Amino acid sequence: MTAIYKRELHSYFHSFLGTLFIGAMLFLLGIYFSVYNLFMGYPYIGYALSSIVFLFLISIPVLTMRILAEERHQKTDQLILTSPVSISSIVIGKFLALATIFAIPTGIICTYPLILSIWGTVSFGESYLAILGFFLYGLACIAIGVFVSSLTESQVIAAVITFGILFLGYMMSGLCNMISSTGNLLTRFLSAFDMVSRFEGLLNGSLELSGIVYFLSVIILFLVFTVQSIQKRRYEVSSKTLGMGVYSSGTVLISAAIIVFINFFVSELPSGYTVFDVTANRLYSLSEETKELLSDIDEDISVYVLANESQADETLDATLKNYAGFNSRIKVSYVDPAVNPKFFTNYTDDLITRNSLIVESAKRSKVIDYSDIYQSEFDYYNYSSTITGYDGEGQLTSAIAYVTAEEMPKIYMLEGHDELSFEPAFTSAIEKANVDYETINLLNYDTVPEDADCVILNAPARDLSNDDTEKLLSYMEKGGDMLIISAYTDAEMPNFGRLLDFYGLEIPKGLIIEADHDFYYQDPFYLFPEVGYDDITDSVTGSGSFVFVPYAQGITVKEQENVTVTPLLTTSDESYARSDISAGGSYAKQESDVDGPFHTGVKCEKEVEGETSTAVVYGSEYLFTQNADEIVSGTNLMLFAGTLGSFVSYTDSVVVPVKSYEVSYLAMPQSSIVFLALVTVIVLPFGFLITGFVIWFKRRKR
C-alpha cells in the first residue's frame, strides 16, 4: 500500500494536476476569505468555505478521473492486478494519495482562524468544525470519483459521470422540495444522497455525530464498491467467474446494509449523545437553568410544531431535540398546517405563523409564536430587519414552567410618581418568568391588592403621597415584598425614605465615585461593584461576569431588630460619595465627600408578626436598562431575573436570556487587510501553480 501511495502522490505532482488542484482551491477560497473575513470583518471561516463547495463539482472529477481509468486504458492495471498486493491495499493507497493532495490546502486553511484571532474574537470551535465538515465532504466526493474511475477506461467518461453524481448530491435538497414540499417515501430515500445538507449542518456550530458518520459511511461504502469492481474484473477470466460475481454482489449488499443500519442507529440515539454544541454562546446547548427545571418535570408535556418536519427551522428543531432528549416526558410532534390548517384553533383565537409552537400539559397550554423565537432589529436607514438573537430556549423553558406551575404569581408595578418603565428586554424577562404583571396607581385602591406577590417601585422622580406610603407600609407589615429602585433627584423624598427606614436603610444624596480602577468601567461613575453571594446573584457569580451600575447612590444600613441585610452589590474601600455633582470639577476626592465602601444593592428580610417581608433595593435607576445591560453582555438582565426569582420561588430557574446572534466584527487595519488578501489570493495559489509548472516543465524536457 505504501508503494502505491508514494507512486500516485509523485505522479500527481509530476503531472501538474496536483498543484493545479491545490492552487485553484486556494485561489477561490482566498477570494471569498478576503471578502467575508478580511474586508467585511466576519470572524467565521464557514462563510468562505460554504461558498466554494461548488468547486468540488469540477475539481474532484478532474482530480480523480485518471486514478484507475488511465491504468485500465494503458493496460498497466494488469501489472497491479497480478501483483501480490491486495486489491484493498491498492484502492486505499490511491485514495490516500488523493486525500493527501486535498489535505494540503485544508491544512493551510486551518491557519486562517488563528491569523484572524489576532484582530478579534474568533470561535475556534465553529471554525474548525466547519473545516472538518469541508474536509469530510471533499473526501466523500473523492471516494465517489475513485469508484467511477474504476468502472471505465475513459477519463472523460469518468469525469462526466463523477460530475453528474456530485451535481445530484449538490442539488438533492432542492430536488426533494420540488418533488414534495411535505415529504414522502421517495424524498426520504433521495435525501440519503443529500451531501450538502449534512455539510451545512456542520457549519452552524453544532457537531452532529450523524453528519460525521454519514460522510465516513459514504467514503467507506464507495471504497468497498471500488474494491469489488476491481475484484470482479481481476477474476473475470477465471473459472470462478460466477462464484466471484456472486461473492462481489453479496459483499456490496452486506456492506450497504451495515452502513444503512449504522446511520439509522446513530440517527435514533438521543441528541444528548450525538449533538455537541461548539458555538461561542452555546446556542444549541441547554442552560443550567433549563436543565434544573427539566429535572423536576414528572408529568407529560406535548410540544406541537406547526410545520412540516422536512421544512422545520433547523435551529429550533435542534433545541427541541435537546429538550426531548433530556427528559423523556417531553414529546415533540410536527403538525403540518397544509394537512391540518385548523389545529391551532384548539389553543388560541389569534392567527399564528408557521413554525410556531404549542406547549401543553394536563393543566394548561401556551402558544409561542414563531416571531417571538428570534429577536430582530429594524434598520430605518436601509429599511431592513436583521436577526440579532435567538430566544428558542428562553421561550420554551418559560412555556414549560408555565404549563407545569401550580399557580401563577402576580406582580404590581406602581405609577403616579414619575416612575420609570422597564424597557422591552426586561418586560420580556418578566413575561418569560410567567409572572402576571400589572401597572397600578395606588390612588385607585384602598390597599395594595391581596394577590400581590411583589410590588415594584421603579425609580420615582417625585415623592409618594402620605396615603400611598401608608398603604405600602401596611402591605409590608403583613409580609408583603418590595423591589425598590432609587433615582438620583434634587427633590425631597421623605415618604420614600420612610419605606427604606422600615428595613433600616437610608440612601443619602449624592453619587458614588469609584477610585479603584478594578471597580469601574472607563468613568469613575460607571461602577463594577463586587457581587455578593445569594440566590439572587447565583447566575451572575456563576458566570464570573460583572454587573454594570452607572450613576449609583450608596445604600447605608442602620441596625434594626428583626432585620437581616444581605449585600448584593458593594463598591471598593476606595470609593466615596459626592453630594454636589452639579459643580463639576475633577474626580479627585474632596473634603466634603463621604468615604466608602457603599452598597448599591441589598436584600432585606424583616420578621413582622410571624411574617417575613422581603425587599430588594438598588441604588441606580440605570441598572435595569438595555444600554447598561449591553455593556456586560446580559449580566444585568440575569441579575433582574434572579431578583424576580427571590419573590416568586419557581421563577429563579426559568428566565433564560436571549442568545445573541450579533457578530463581534474583526478590527483589522487596512494595511493588514491588503497584505493578507495579497497572500491568500495571489502568493499562495500562484506559488503552488508556478512550482508545479516548473516541476512539470523540467520533467517534460528530460
Side-chain angles (χ1 to χ4, degrees), residues 184-213:
N184 54 36
L185 185 61
L186 176 60
T187 57
R188 290 180 183 177
F189 172 76
L190 293 176
S191 65
F193 304 94
D194 181 8
M195 292 194 292
V196 172
S197 294
R198 270 79 174 191
F199 168 62
E200 291 176 347
L202 298 173
L203 286 178
N204 56 18
S206 180
L207 174 54
E208 297 183 9
L209 187 59
S210 60
I212 303 294
V213 171

Side-chain angles (χ1 to χ4, degrees), residues 421-440:
S421 298
F422 288 114
E423 295 174 350
F426 292 88
T427 56
S428 175
I430 298 174
E431 292 169 356
K432 286 200 291 184
N434 299 312
V435 174
D436 184 13
Y437 67 95
E438 182 180 347
T439 301
I440 64 171

Side-chain angles (χ1 to χ4, degrees), residues 190-351:
L190 293 176
S191 65
F193 304 94
D194 181 8
M195 292 194 292
V196 172
S197 294
R198 270 79 174 191
F199 168 62
E200 291 176 347
L202 298 173
L203 286 178
N204 56 18
S206 180
L207 174 54
E208 297 183 9
L209 187 59
S210 60
I212 303 294
V213 171
Y214 172 82
F215 283 119
L216 293 177
S217 299
V218 171
I219 295 168
I220 293 172
L221 191 61
F222 276 93
L223 290 181
V224 170
F225 288 170
T226 305
V227 170
Q228 295 306 315
S229 172
I230 299 174
Q231 186 88 315
K232 189 173 182 179
R233 192 171 75 252
R234 187 179 193 180
Y235 292 98
E236 63 184 358
V237 296
S238 168
S239 60
K240 298 181 180 180
T241 299
L242 180 61
M244 290 307 302
V246 173
Y247 167 77
S248 176
S249 301
T251 302
V252 168
L253 292 175
I254 292 172
S255 300
I258 292 174
I259 292 297
V260 170
F261 173 77
I262 292 174
N263 279 267
F264 176 78
F265 176 76
V266 172
S267 67
E268 293 301 310
L269 288 174
S271 60
Y273 299 101
T274 61
V275 180
F276 306 94
D277 187 1
V278 298
T279 57
N281 61 350
R282 315 305 294 170
L283 181 64
Y284 305 103
S285 301
L286 298 182
S287 64
E288 292 303 318
E289 291 85 354
T290 295
K291 291 179 180 178
E292 184 178 343
L293 174 71
L294 296 182
S295 297
D296 297 330
I297 299 296
D298 57 0
E299 58 184 292
D300 292 334
I301 297 174
S302 298
V303 181
Y304 299 103
V305 188
L306 301 184
N308 179 274
E309 189 168 2
S310 63
Q311 298 175 322
D313 181 289
E314 292 183 1
T315 303
L316 181 58
D317 182 62
T319 301
L320 290 168
K321 288 178 179 177
N322 282 338
Y323 278 80
F326 192 89
N327 191 321
S328 60
R329 303 299 292 268
I330 299 174
K331 307 295 183 183
V332 178
S333 304
Y334 283 84
V335 179
D336 191 347
V339 178
N340 195 348
K342 298 296 184 180
F343 178 80
F344 71 93
T345 59
N346 298 320
Y347 302 92
T348 180
D349 294 329
D350 298 328
L351 292 176

Side-chain angles (χ1 to χ4, degrees), residues 49-66:
L49 294 177
S50 64
S51 300
I52 69 165
V53 291
F54 71 88
L55 181 65
F56 289 159
L57 305 183
I58 301 172
S59 61
I60 297 297
V62 173
L63 183 69
T64 60
M65 63 183 184
R66 60 173 291 275

Side-chain angles (χ1 to χ4, degrees), residues 492-504:
E492 295 295 326
M493 307 276 283
N495 285 327
F496 182 75
R498 289 173 61 193
L499 297 179
L500 297 176
D501 187 63
F502 180 83
Y503 300 102

